[in-house]
Amino acid sequence: MKKNNLIPKELSNLQKTVLSVQKLLAKELLAVFLILLTAIPLAFLLAYLLAFFNHKNTADVFSQIIGNSDEGGGQGSFVVLYVISAIGLYFAKLVYQSIKVLTKKGEEE
């Protein structure tokens, strides 16, 4: 950024702050987009595992959460698995960033 003597110092600090917030929002939006894309195959994997280990208890829990699979054609279960996958991936991202910040702070001290 080119420094201009006509721009007050406070304004240049404000511009730096705005640029850093924009960069942070862009990174977070990209992360959310990647999480939403990654959640699709993860939801399919979870659906496959639930179908593979299909016990009566699992079917009862699913029917209580999303209703009867005959009514929705099984699409409701995929939506629930997709939402669970997306939330889990975002939570994993938050945990990773927290660990990264804590270890970085530990190195500085």
Side-chain angles (χ1 to χ4, degrees):
M1 181 183 287
K2 186 176 178 184
K3 192 165 190 168
N4 190 349
N5 292 333
L6 298 176
I7 299 175
K9 188 175 182 179
E10 294 82 22
L11 185 60
S12 65
N13 287 340
L14 179 64
Q15 287 174 340
K16 290 178 185 177
T17 304
V18 168
L19 286 175
S20 65
V21 168
Q22 285 177 344
K23 185 177 179 181
L24 179 69
L25 287 175
K27 286 171 113 177
E28 192 65 25
L29 185 64
L30 182 63
V32 167
F33 178 70
L34 290 174
I35 284 172
L36 291 176
L37 283 178
T38 308
I40 294 171
L42 189 59
F44 278 118
L45 179 67
L46 288 174
Y48 173 76
L49 289 174
L50 283 175
F52 184 73
F53 297 110
N54 191 8
H55 295 288
K56 179 71 174 140
N57 296 338
T58 307
D60 291 340
V61 169
F62 243 23
S63 66
Q64 288 177 354
I65 293 174
I66 60 170
N68 192 359
S69 62
D70 296 335
E71 296 170 0
Q75 293 176 353
S77 63
F78 180 76
V79 171
V80 169
L81 290 174
Y82 178 74
V83 169
I84 290 171
S85 300
I87 290 171
L89 287 171
Y90 193 76
F91 182 73
K93 174 192 163 292
L94 291 177
V95 169
Y96 171 74
Q97 286 181 338
S98 299
I99 291 172
K100 187 176 169 184
V101 166
L102 289 175
T103 57
K104 188 177 184 181
K105 186 176 182 180
E107 291 174 355
E108 292 176 356
E109 291 178 355

